[in-house]
Amino acid sequence: MNRKEIIDMSDPDCPVRNVLARICDKWSVLVMLVLKDAEVMRFNEIQKSIPDISQKMLTVTLRTLEEDGFVKRKIYAEVPPKVEYSLTERAQSLLPLIGSLVGWAKENMDSIIRDRKASVRCHQ
């Protein structure tokens, strides 16, 4: 899937599909949740906070979030280069919705796991 252009042929102006396609990948929400707890973070700090993300995927995710105006990247003219990442106002406005989703997931996780196990037993 081309992450730069998501088009729903039945409704090309569909904002839900376009936005969800960009932020609902495996890493975007996790990166935003890590960044919400810090004013700014460096790349290695973010990577340490999400230990199973590869350097490449973190780079791609940060670039995608920056392209959509969720993450701001500040580069300092130093040697070695210093780069800091922070959330934008757009991302800050999305955090309450993400928080609601996290809360819902916590409340329903046990029953979802139970239903998954029951479904596997039924299909065996």
Side-chain angles (χ1 to χ4, degrees), residues 13-95:
D13 297 322
C14 180
V16 173
R17 179 172 167 78
N18 280 280
V19 171
L20 289 180
R22 294 292 290 248
I23 64 168
C24 289
D25 62 18
K26 186 174 179 178
W27 304 111
S28 293
V29 169
L30 292 175
V31 168
M32 285 191 280
L33 288 172
V34 165
L35 285 170
K36 90 173 175 63
D37 294 328
E39 192 172 317
V40 296
M41 289 183 86
R42 306 228 6 223
F43 185 93
N44 288 337
E45 294 174 305
I46 299 169
Q47 191 170 26
K48 286 177 186 171
S49 297
I50 309 171
D52 52 337
I53 192 170
S54 69
Q55 183 175 349
K56 180 181 178 178
M57 280 312 304
L58 181 55
T59 299
V60 168
T61 301
L62 287 167
R63 284 184 185 155
T64 300
L65 290 171
E66 184 181 10
E67 287 171 6
D68 282 358
F70 292 108
V71 169
K72 181 174 65 174
R73 179 172 51 126
K74 185 173 182 181
I75 304 168
Y76 296 87
E78 298 178 5
V79 177
K82 178 180 173 184
V83 180
E84 292 178 336
Y85 297 91
S86 60
L87 293 179
T88 63
E89 285 184 34
R90 178 174 298 147
Q92 294 289 346
S93 73
L94 182 60
L95 288 176

